[in-house]
Amino acid sequence: MDYVVRATAGQGSVRAFAARTTELVSKAAGIHGLYPVASAALGRVLTAAGMMAVDMKGSDNVLSIIVKGSGPLGSVVSVAKSNGTMKGYVDHPKVDLPLNQLGKLDVGNAIGPDGKLTVIKDLGLKEPYVGQTDLVSGEIGEDMANYFWVSEQQPSVVAVGVLVNPDLSIKAAGGYIIQPLPDANEEIIANLEIKLRELPAISSLIDEGKSPEEVLELLLGEYELKLLDKTPLKFECDCNRERLERVVLGLGKMELQEIIETEGEAELVCHYCNTKYDFNKEQLSALLEQA
Ligand code: ZN
């Protein structure tokens, strides 16, 4: 089961999140037919979104991360609710790039390097909170850390990773975020820096069978690590026919009339889950009457 844990350490002076997202990234890869570098990119963004979403207070709050770089993937979009339900897509799922110099999936060049990272938090208020920063490398972890620093003035360590099998299935996926608050003492931070250098990549730790709790134990176990809560994460789209009817209505009378006269039918596909919704002439005419 995929889930995210929230924790504190150093008597509340350090905030920490860790997640295992192997199953939800597998589901996203299957639905969208992702090539490995696309799985890694979307998986990293989904993992970051999941960890951030459970930190919102309202039960129906929604957090979106949109990464739009200059690379061949186009936009990478993830939407996560505070209850752990997530969805996402990439513009171009069949991107294939050679491995980078480190022998790893080249997410940086598939996404970026130039572009923007946008975080939208819908907290049920009149206006959503929107924060946007420039991409640093397109590797997502660094870009998210930069976002936290520039947009929320919060120093953060962000690690997100996905291992893809040769048959394109997902071997392991997960991540962690560590955020020292202003009262965190220097010893904890210095120790954390050493740990971060020594520790294998998060995707390897998850692949070895480490749980999110165990990952945090490795990083902060010596400093009164306190688990706050645990939230299941899953990839599940919330689209339905009614919602797509509203999209059809949104086309306006003129356009709808034209579709009825020329095509006589319409097929709409949900970006997030690839579900197809067919509208025949009668259904379109009924919608036209409503319009
Ligand atoms: Zn959908």
Side-chain angles (χ1 to χ4, degrees):
M1 185 191 70
D2 289 342
Y3 63 93
V4 50
V5 290
R6 288 197 313 154
T8 62
Q11 290 167 328
S13 67
V14 176
R15 283 155 42 85
F17 307 77
R20 181 172 63 217
T21 55
T22 311
E23 284 174 38
L24 72 91
V25 177
S26 297
K27 190 163 176 192
I31 285 173
H32 294 297
L34 302 177
Y35 278 17
V37 78
S39 284
L42 181 57
R44 289 180 192 182
V45 178
L46 280 167
T47 302
M51 290 190 286
M52 289 175 76
V54 298
D55 202 35
M56 299 186 295
K57 291 197 176 65
S59 59
D60 54 355
N61 292 170
V62 183
L63 180 136
S64 307
I65 302 179
I66 300 148
V67 182
K68 190 167 172 37
S70 51
L73 282 178
S75 295
V76 182
V77 178
S78 293
V79 179
K81 292 184 185 169
S82 43
N83 68 5
T85 309
M86 319 186 54
K87 59 183 183 179
Y89 67 89
V90 301
D91 278 347
H92 304 291
K94 311 257 185 254
V95 168
D96 203 7
L97 289 181
L99 298 179
N100 66 19
Q101 288 158 332
L102 300 168
K104 301 208 160 142
L105 291 168
D106 197 351
V107 174
N109 278 315
I111 284 182
D114 301 316
K116 300 277 185 198
L117 183 150
T118 308
V119 173
I120 303 167
K121 291 182 196 174
D122 185 345
L123 306 171
L125 306 171
K126 221 171 179 184
E127 297 286 332
Y129 161 89
V130 182
Q132 189 176 62
T133 48
D134 290 329
L135 292 178
V136 179
S137 64
E139 292 283 344
I140 305 303
E142 284 173 292
D143 303 303
M144 288 306 307
N146 180 61
Y147 162 80
F148 281 120
W149 176 242
V150 173
S151 205
E152 301 188 4
Q153 290 74 51
Q154 172 60 58
S156 309
V157 176
V158 183
V160 281
V162 177
L163 285 179
V164 185
N165 287 314
D167 68 356
L168 308 191
S169 64
I170 305 303
K171 198 169 187 221
Y176 57 80
I177 299 175
I178 312 284
Q179 300 184 319
L181 301 177
D183 58 340
N185 75 41
E186 288 181 15
E187 188 203 323
I188 299 185
I189 295 173
N191 188 277
L192 191 59
E193 281 171 1
I194 296 168
K195 292 276 178 61
L196 289 167
R197 274 199 298 273
E198 289 171 350
L199 218 61
I202 179 64
S203 52
S204 304
L205 290 171
I206 298 289
D207 188 36
E208 283 168 21
K210 293 269 187 297
S211 68
E213 291 91 333
E214 286 167 333
V215 170
L216 292 184
E217 192 70 37
L218 286 171
L219 287 163
L220 295 161
E222 293 147 59
Y223 298 98
E224 302 138 275
L225 181 66
K226 198 171 139 202
L227 296 172
L228 300 177
D229 51 37
K230 175 173 166 174
T231 309
L233 295 174
K234 61 176 180 228
F235 191 98
E236 187 179 88
C237 194
D238 53 357
C239 66
N240 53 41
R241 193 162 180 95
E242 229 169 48
R243 189 173 282 201
L244 272 291
E245 280 176 0
R246 286 202 294 273
V247 174
V248 175
L249 284 170
L251 295 172
K253 272 187 180 179
M254 299 265 279
E255 180 101 354
L256 199 46
Q257 183 76 54
E258 199 181 315
I259 293 171
I260 292 169
E261 280 164 17
T262 56
E263 313 284 332
E265 58 184 6
E267 182 191 84
L268 270 74
V269 181
C270 172
H271 274 309
Y272 291 99
C273 68
N274 277 347
T275 302
K276 292 186 174 67
Y277 293 86
D278 290 313
F279 292 88
N280 62 27
K281 200 165 193 168
E282 273 171 30
Q283 290 162 333
L284 289 174
S285 303
L287 286 171
L288 180 62
E289 268 177 42
Q290 275 184 49

